[in-house]
Amino acid sequence: VVAGGTVELGCSAQGDPAPRVQWHKESGDLPWGRHEVDQEHTLRLYAVTAADSGTYVCTAQSQLGSTATTAHVHV
């Protein structure tokens, strides 16, 4: 990803009951004031910098269990 750009990371989870989906960065916090997660659980990072490089984890959890997937971002 080019510095200053926007990154979109998708995460799809379905179930009954519907799972709770959360994003976090494996080492560090999501960029304060420069990220959002929409209703489809897509994580958007805006005006990315080299500090935003790293592994991002999407976790889906319900009363039946949980699962996670990762995406690596390199700025």
Side-chain angles (χ1 to χ4, degrees):
V1 178
V2 176
T6 298
V7 176
E8 291 189 1
L9 304 174
C11 184
S12 177
Q14 298 175 353
D16 186 16
R20 189 178 97 213
V21 177
Q22 292 184 301
W23 278 97
H24 72 275
K25 189 174 179 188
E26 201 168 63
S27 58
D29 297 322
L30 293 174
W32 181 255
R34 296 186 297 109
H35 80 276
E36 70 177 3
V37 179
D38 67 19
Q39 290 185 351
E40 285 79 37
H41 313 298
T42 298
L43 172 65
R44 286 185 186 83
L45 307 174
Y46 298 103
V48 294
T49 68
D52 297 323
S53 293
T55 301
Y56 291 80
V57 182
C58 175
T59 304
Q61 184 173 18
S62 76
Q63 60 199 30
L64 301 176
S66 66
T67 189
T69 190
T70 60
H72 186 74
V73 173
H74 180 75
V75 179

